[in-house]
Amino acid sequence: MHYRDFGNVNCNGNGNGIGNGIGFGNSNGNGDVNGSNEKVNGANETIKMKPMDSELLREQGHIMVDFIADYYKNLQDSPQDFPVLSQVQPGYLRDMLPHSAPDQPDSLKKLLDDVTKKIMPGLTHWQSPSYFAYYASSTSVAGFLGEMLSAGLSVVGFTWQTSPAATELEIIVLDWLAQLLQLPDHFLSTGNGGGVIQGTACEAVLVVVLAARDRILKQVGKTSLPRLVVYASDQTHSSFRKACLIGGIHEENIRVLKTDSSTNYGLPPESLEEAISHDLAKGFIPSFVCATVGTTSSAAVDPLVPLGKIAKKNGIWMHVDAAYAGNACICPEYRKYIDGVENADSFNMNAHKWLFANQTCSPLWVKDRYALIDALKTNPEYLDYKVSKRDEVVNYKDWQISLSRRFRSLKLWMVLRLYGSENLRNFIREHVDLAKQFEAYVSQDPRFEVVTSRYFSLVCFRLVPLDADEDKCNQRNRELLAAVNSTGKIFISHTALSGKFILRFAVGAPLTEEKHVTEAWQIIQKHASKFTCNGNC
Ligand code: PLP
């Protein structure tokens, strides 16, 4: 393939990657991705593409690191240039970019200019210190460097042989993390179980649903699939239903058990017990329960101790989805929320949510690795190798849906090593303290109420109803949310609990400090005055 040489594009920037449209660091380099590659076509000045040129990587890698470092600096120093929630309209980008891919190479400088001017406005800045929506997707320097190293090395460790270090590091690092979480020994690689890094919690729940399904079908026969029933609370993440449907569980056999404020939206064990008895009486086969520690709506905690006992008694696979709150359980004071995990068959948390391991990194541990492997193994000749036999090595392709996989353990290893667990614990504690502070602000303002008990770094709150009118109250809260987010100064999200429209304030972005929480509260208060004067303003 030949490209025209664009010559030396000057990318002598001033180091400000954002806001001024320059977008470059201090490199004197050639902004063209073809760099100083060999010219092969003299007169036409075409050059041969070299996709991985180490010197060009060095030069442009520095430019890119500067660009990203400037991004983080400017997020803090010039927040006015970065509406936290993107304010663009749907389709905004189509008219800003050409309608087809370029035939000839462009320069990195021009490309980064476009990132600054065209892409940045369409970003919601998840790493802004004033991001308080959903749950955070936390980044760190160690996580970033881990991503960089993993992208740079670009190995594909689907079997042990395809990169022994990738497999072996994953086993070791997940044992480390399991120990920090004080998971029972059977989840460690030295037992019958072990850990695997999935991309997301959605993938984690899918693979364990498949493992649980196949485990039970082995006992009762494949034709019993239509009789399998599964359980979860009405607060369970939507990925559970999706996983069950993909796994062939009949939609009408997905039991969604009701929760309410009396248990702070945790699943009452009696409901599970009752549902199981009812199903058994009707000839159904209870096969799976998904318990959550830190639900998506309100960070509710299902009581693992009684749920686990019920699951064990009935031979049901219990999965614990601790995508967000599982991270906090590396702190001894939060570990109690996963008491009862001893009776779980699988446990999952998202280290990219609150352990600073950059997207994506979702460790999953299973009690019986063979249940997972039996459901997911493949054995094509082209992957066969003499040490790839059962038990000799781990072949992670058999623990996940896809064949190819990223070297994610490198990133997790770097986060754990470069920060140390004590720092990680303290950082999580700081976030929880900031959430406590926000909760105190809300509690002190009679126009507002905290709606659910706060366990971690999420505060669920709302404007209180006026004249006991819940419908109007929902509408006012909806309008308050829109008003606050349209400022671009902060981003909070919402949910619904027992028919109430609830505002969610989740602390977890790595740059958030006390001043950002205080400013956020001031913005919310200011806008609240529009909705709290009972129609007289
Ligand atoms: N489970 C819970 C409790 C969550 O809060 C979330 C996302 O916030 C998920 C699952 C889905 O996570 P992922 O995007 O990693 O699939």
Side-chain angles (χ1 to χ4, degrees):
M1 189 188 295
H2 294 106
Y3 285 128
R4 217 185 81 215
D5 183 0
F6 275 70
N8 268 347
V9 177
N10 178 16
C11 57
N12 265 335
N14 67 358
N16 182 354
I18 310 294
N20 63 6
I22 292 173
F24 282 90
N26 295 322
S27 167
N28 279 321
N30 183 340
D32 186 334
V33 290
N34 290 308
S36 56
N37 289 345
E38 174 198 7
K39 290 182 182 174
V40 294
N41 203 8
N44 293 333
E45 297 220 333
T46 43
I47 56 162
K48 189 173 177 193
M49 175 179 154
K50 279 170 92 179
M52 187 42 88
D53 176 299
S54 57
E55 286 314 310
L56 190 64
L57 173 66
R58 191 184 313 283
E59 175 196 304
Q60 300 204 334
H62 281 117
I63 292 171
M64 191 58 89
V65 168
D66 279 339
F67 185 87
I68 296 166
D70 286 338
Y71 172 65
Y72 279 93
K73 181 167 165 43
N74 291 323
L75 271 182
Q76 298 168 85
D77 295 351
S78 316
Q80 68 285 356
D81 294 336
F82 301 91
V84 188
L85 175 65
S86 173
Q87 307 286 314
V88 300
Q89 295 303 311
Y92 88 99
L93 194 53
R94 184 155 295 280
D95 290 337
M96 298 178 94
L97 292 181
H99 294 298
S100 56
D103 276 340
Q104 303 301 326
D106 224 334
S107 71
L108 181 60
K109 173 182 168 22
K110 278 171 64 186
L111 188 136
L112 288 181
D113 276 351
D114 274 357
V115 171
T116 300
K117 291 177 189 150
K118 299 171 184 172
I119 302 296
M120 284 291 171
L123 295 187
T124 287
H125 297 284
W126 285 65
Q127 306 310 325
S128 159
S130 300
Y131 176 94
F132 302 106
Y134 312 112
Y135 286 130
S137 179
S138 64
T139 54
S140 65
V141 174
F144 170 75
L145 295 178
E147 275 287 304
M148 195 175 176
L149 187 54
S150 153
L153 299 177
S154 255
V155 300
V156 189
F158 45 68
T159 57
W160 175 85
Q161 184 207 359
T162 57
S163 260
T167 297
E168 296 195 10
L169 186 63
E170 188 156 332
I171 295 169
I172 292 165
V173 169
L174 291 190
D175 279 353
W176 284 8
L177 189 51
Q179 284 160 12
L180 290 179
L181 290 162
Q182 298 175 53
L183 293 184
D185 286 350
H186 54 241
F187 284 122
L188 300 183
S189 63
T190 43
N192 223 32
V196 55
I197 305 181
Q198 303 286 331
T200 62
C202 294
E203 291 164 57
V205 71
L206 173 57
V207 296
V208 295
V209 161
L210 299 179
R213 177 200 66 185
D214 286 7
R215 183 176 80 172
I216 193 96
L217 289 181
K218 254 188 219 150
Q219 296 163 24
V220 298
K222 281 186 181 164
T223 53
S224 295
L225 181 62
R227 290 195 294 137
L228 300 191
V229 280
V230 297
Y231 307 88
S233 90
D234 56 3
Q235 300 300 309
T236 305
H237 191 267
S238 54
S239 54
F240 167 68
R241 182 175 174 276
K242 195 189 265 192
C244 292
L245 294 179
I246 294 172
I249 305 296
H250 289 208
E251 184 156 20
E252 59 279 14
N253 293 354
I254 301 174
R255 307 278 182 256
V256 179
L257 307 174
K258 248 180 101 47
T259 61
D260 61 29
S261 57
S262 67
T263 56
N264 207 27
Y265 298 94
L267 173 58
E270 315 79 60
S271 311
L272 177 65
E273 200 142 38
E274 220 173 274
I276 291 172
S277 311
H278 194 254
D279 282 329
L280 286 172
K282 291 194 144 183
F284 286 109
I285 305 169
S287 61
F288 189 91
V289 58
C290 181
T292 307
V293 174
T295 58
T296 313
S297 271
S298 65
V301 175
D302 291 338
L304 299 189
V305 173
L307 294 177
K309 284 185 187 152
I310 297 167
K312 194 172 177 190
K313 190 173 83 188
N314 291 281
I316 297 173
W317 184 299
M318 180 163 92
H319 175 61
V320 179
D321 173 357
Y324 153 71
N327 294 284
C329 299
I330 65 167
C331 304
E333 65 271 34
Y334 298 112
R335 172 58 177 75
K336 63 180 182 219
Y337 293 111
I338 57 168
D339 281 356
V341 70
E342 304 74 48
N343 282 328
D345 293 276
S346 48
F347 177 87
N348 169 237
M349 55 166 271
N350 276 352
H352 60 251
K353 272 193 166 54
W354 205 12
L355 207 66
F356 314 99
N358 293 45
Q359 289 259 10
T360 56
C361 185
S362 188
L364 166 72
W365 291 268
V366 287
K367 188 176 195 171
D368 174 8
R369 58 179 171 269
Y370 300 111
L372 197 58
I373 294 168
D374 286 348
L376 298 173
K377 70 174 178 294
T378 54
N379 252 333
E381 178 58 32
Y382 46 81
L383 296 180
D384 200 28
Y385 182 67
K386 60 178 177 343
V387 297
S388 299
K389 300 288 176 274
R390 186 171 174 134
D391 276 341
E392 270 174 298
V393 290
V394 167
N395 291 313
Y396 273 128
K397 72 179 176 56
D398 297 336
W399 298 51
Q400 61 177 29
I401 301 293
S402 60
L403 173 67
S404 297
R405 62 199 320 271
R406 307 187 64 230
F407 193 173
R408 292 191 180 98
S409 58
L410 201 51
K411 172 174 62 176
L412 194 52
W413 184 52
M414 288 175 66
V415 168
L416 295 176
R417 267 188 77 169
L418 296 179
Y419 295 123
S421 49
E422 202 45 51
N423 264 322
L424 292 168
R425 286 190 196 101
N426 287 336
F427 212 85
I428 284 170
R429 287 175 180 134
E430 277 173 33
H431 281 167
V432 176
D433 285 345
L434 293 177
K436 280 184 191 161
Q437 181 172 341
F438 183 82
E439 186 183 33
Y441 287 143
V442 175
S443 309
Q444 285 154 19
D445 187 329
R447 298 171 301 171
F448 286 89
E449 65 177 355
V450 174
V451 180
T452 55
S453 304
R454 183 203 46 73
Y455 301 129
F456 309 102
S457 68
L458 170 70
V459 181
C460 290
F461 69 109
R462 66 169 187 163
L463 287 166
V464 291
L466 297 174
D467 307 325
D469 188 334
E470 284 290 340
D471 287 344
K472 270 198 190 144
C473 179
N474 284 348
Q475 189 50 30
R476 284 160 60 239
N477 279 290
R478 209 171 266 126
E479 287 169 18
L480 174 60
L481 177 78
V484 160
N485 287 339
S486 71
T487 64
K489 291 180 179 165
I490 62 169
F491 180 26
I492 60 174
S493 59
H494 76 280
T495 189
L497 291 170
S498 305
K500 296 175 183 168
F501 187 90
I502 309 290
L503 306 174
R504 295 173 75 266
F505 188 91
V507 181
L511 296 172
T512 302
E513 295 171 19
E514 191 178 335
K515 66 177 181 191
H516 303 110
V517 171
T518 305
E519 276 163 22
W521 175 240
Q522 286 164 351
I523 290 166
I524 294 167
Q525 275 194 313
K526 182 175 149 213
H527 286 272
S529 24
K530 285 187 225 154
F531 304 107
T532 50
C533 45
N534 220 354
N536 302 323
C537 52

